[in-house]
Amino acid sequence: MAKEAGVSVGTVSRALNNSGYVSAISRERIDKAIAKLNYQPNMIARTLFHKKSNVIGLVVPDITNPFFPEMTRAIEDVASELGYTVLLCNSDGSAEKEKQYLNMFKQNYVDGAILATHPKTPESWLEANFPVIAIDRADQKRFPSVTVNNVEGAKTAVQHLYNSGSSQIALIKGSNTAIPFLERYQGYFEEMNNLNLEPIIFETGNELKILENKAHQFFKRYPEVDALFVATM
């Protein structure tokens, strides 16, 4: 590269890393050499040298859950605009897989991690040598987090169903005990009580493969229901 451009190795290094002074003439020669040689930087070497990868790790509990592909797409879109690549990891709620991902993130010098799962070993993530942020279901008290007001959201949903003419409003409840789910249940119960309506609760679990069968069971048991508030995901 330096030979083709007719400049020193140090000048090429400064130009590629945008560090230090490089004259306009030298930069033009280097750009022409890059195009001619079809040069691609060694990202592994660059990451090791700078200890910066422009990669963000994202851990989700189950990518087959329809909520997480949509969330992942949104994260990836924004990350791409900012010059980052997203490394997606599926934990399946396994502490062992979490440990493997954490070690991989450390070894590859990720610039940060987003946890969209309730971490099995939060202490390990807190001790990581990169920033960690929680989104939606992680331990909100230990990490910086991005959340919504689930109680008020649930109340608004029930209000909307009621204002639309429904009075037999059922809560379709998963088996998850993470804080956001409990908050949604709380909001449902509070608003049903405010409206003097009798709560109707049906638990389905969280496995997608059994939900169709559970739906048939529900409609046989509660034919009078005229609206659903679904909080399984």
Side-chain angles (χ1 to χ4, degrees), residues 59 97-99 101-103 105 113-115 119-132 143:
V59 183
K97 291 186 75 172
E98 271 190 24
K99 181 180 178 180
Y101 294 143
L102 177 57
N103 289 337
F105 290 170
I114 300 173
L115 299 181
K120 301 296 183 181
T121 56
E123 294 78 11
S124 299
W125 291 98
L126 289 167
E127 295 170 359
N129 56 353
F130 49 79
V132 177
F143 299 97

Side-chain angles (χ1 to χ4, degrees), residues 58-107:
L58 171 61
V59 183
V60 302
D62 181 4
I63 197 60
T64 64
N65 182 323
F67 170 78
F68 293 108
E70 186 173 351
M71 182 199 72
T72 299
R73 176 59 189 268
I75 291 173
E76 188 174 37
D77 285 348
V78 175
S80 180
E81 291 177 3
L82 298 174
Y84 288 86
T85 299
V86 175
L87 178 59
L88 176 63
C89 300
N90 193 83
S91 72
D92 292 318
S94 165
E96 183 59 33
K97 291 186 75 172
E98 271 190 24
K99 181 180 178 180
Q100 293 173 4
Y101 294 143
L102 177 57
N103 289 337
M104 179 177 66
F105 290 170
K106 290 178 178 178
Q107 292 166 6

Side-chain angles (χ1 to χ4, degrees), residues 167-173 188-189 192 198-204 213-229:
S167 59
Q168 301 293 317
I169 304 170
L171 169 66
I172 306 300
K173 177 181 180 294
Y188 168 82
F189 283 113
M192 291 293 282
E198 187 69 26
I200 302 171
I201 313 298
F202 186 77
E203 184 166 329
T204 63
N213 183 49
K214 289 287 188 179
H216 289 301
Q217 293 178 25
F218 170 80
F219 286 113
K220 286 182 180 179
R221 187 181 303 177
Y222 300 105
E224 75 280 7
V225 165
D226 55 9
L228 300 176
F229 174 52

Side-chain angles (χ1 to χ4, degrees), residues 1-2 4-8 10-36 39 46:
M1 169 73 74
E4 179 67 32
V7 298
S8 69
T11 300
V12 171
S13 177
R14 290 195 298 275
L16 293 178
N17 292 295
N18 291 315
S19 61
Y21 173 76
V22 178
S23 70
I25 294 176
S26 294
R27 190 174 292 278
E28 182 179 358
R29 289 176 178 174
I30 292 169
D31 289 342
K32 289 180 179 179
I34 288 173
K36 181 178 179 180
Y39 170 77
R46 176 169 288 189

